Amino acid sequence: MPPRPTRRALLRAAAVLPAGALLARARPAAAIGPSSKFRFAQLQLGGGWQPRPDALRRLAWELEKRTSIDAELEPVITTLGSPSLHDTPLLYLAGDRGFDLPPQPQIEALRRFLTFGGTLIVDSAEGGVGGAFDQAVRRLLAAALPAPAPGLEVVAPDHVAFTSFYLLDRPVGRVAISAVMEAQRVGDRLAVMYVQNDLGGAWSRDNFGTYQFTCEPGGEAQREQAFRLGVNLVMYTLCLDYKTDQVHVPFIMRRRRWKPADGGRAPSGAGSGTGAGSGGG
């Protein structure tokens, strides 16, 4: 039996094929060697596209240590006009200022990426809600996924994206200003996940092992929750809704009954902050 096409092969095919021809014409690709590793792709868009240069490298390191995912530590930088856009299932867009809408061909490239299975994580480093970056993101998504596609919506605390590895119920980062994560769906899938609490600021660590920013107001416990959310978003991107399978439900329900009062690490065998992946993540 020939090997099944990898998700990377399907995404690259999406760049050049119409929707109806994708599965029929995508060529099988073997997942062998370094090219099969998961790798973050940071989207270069606007003047403030890399406010936390060390963030993805540290998250990739944590991803390898905490999960079975084999990850490249160095992210690749891509643009909406680059052929490398379809080399990864996940794009990361960060910013701390506004940006102009890209040209129409690049907007269409983003639409193809999202429509054919790609995921975009948007991370605002503005330190607040409703700023210039936030407004630019909403314009971009409205152009890339126009009506009748649904717009950004609040993700429910019990959505599988919050339980894909760790059991969480809210997004935090360097700050905890917004109590919700927003998302835009393509079908039943969260194709865009948007957090306004500066995840990258919580992840950023320099070459000397020092975290570059203080997490407010929750300190190091809040930083740990930010790492856990980052792991969850990657796991959701790669596995989608597998954690909604009935085999996982009793396990998740048992752990949901215990919630740490301070949002910190739960004791072994219980807690909304413990790794669901240890029992099937």
Side-chain angles (χ1 to χ4, degrees), residues 103-115:
Q104 189 61 32
Q106 295 185 23
I107 293 176
E108 293 172 359
L110 178 60
R111 181 182 305 129
R112 286 195 299 273
F113 176 85
L114 297 173
T115 301

Side-chain angles (χ1 to χ4, degrees), residues 105-183:
Q106 295 185 23
I107 293 176
E108 293 172 359
L110 178 60
R111 181 182 305 129
R112 286 195 299 273
F113 176 85
L114 297 173
T115 301
F116 286 101
T119 300
L120 173 66
I121 293 176
V122 183
D123 182 16
S124 173
E126 287 187 302
V129 297
F133 178 76
D134 175 71
Q135 296 172 32
V137 165
R138 295 178 190 277
R139 287 195 301 268
L140 174 65
L141 296 179
L145 297 172
L152 283 167
E153 58 188 43
V154 173
V155 179
D158 60 352
H159 189 275
V160 67
F162 285 117
T163 62
S164 59
F165 193 80
Y166 293 104
L167 303 186
L168 307 172
D169 56 14
R170 63 191 177 97
V172 294
R174 177 185 63 84
V175 294
I177 293 174
S178 176
V180 300
M181 179 172 73
E182 294 179 271

Side-chain angles (χ1 to χ4, degrees), residues 2-89:
R4 296 177 63 187
T6 63
R7 192 174 183 189
R8 177 179 297 172
L10 296 178
L11 283 170
R12 296 197 70 174
V16 295
L17 295 177
L22 176 61
L23 294 178
R25 297 181 59 186
R27 307 181 84 182
I32 300 174
S35 63
S36 68
K37 288 186 174 184
F38 171 81
R39 192 174 194 179
F40 286 105
Q42 182 153 16
L43 189 58
Q44 183 176 352
L45 186 61
W49 62 274
Q50 201 176 40
R52 314 293 187 223
D54 300 315
L56 290 182
R57 185 183 305 110
R58 185 63 193 183
L59 180 58
W61 188 92
E62 295 284 346
L63 195 65
E64 277 223 317
K65 298 301 180 184
R66 296 171 184 236
T67 76
S68 60
I69 296 173
D70 196 12
E72 288 279 359
L73 297 187
E74 290 297 326
V76 64
I77 307 303
T78 191
T79 67
L80 291 177
S82 171
S84 68
L85 180 68
H86 296 271
D87 284 351
T88 174

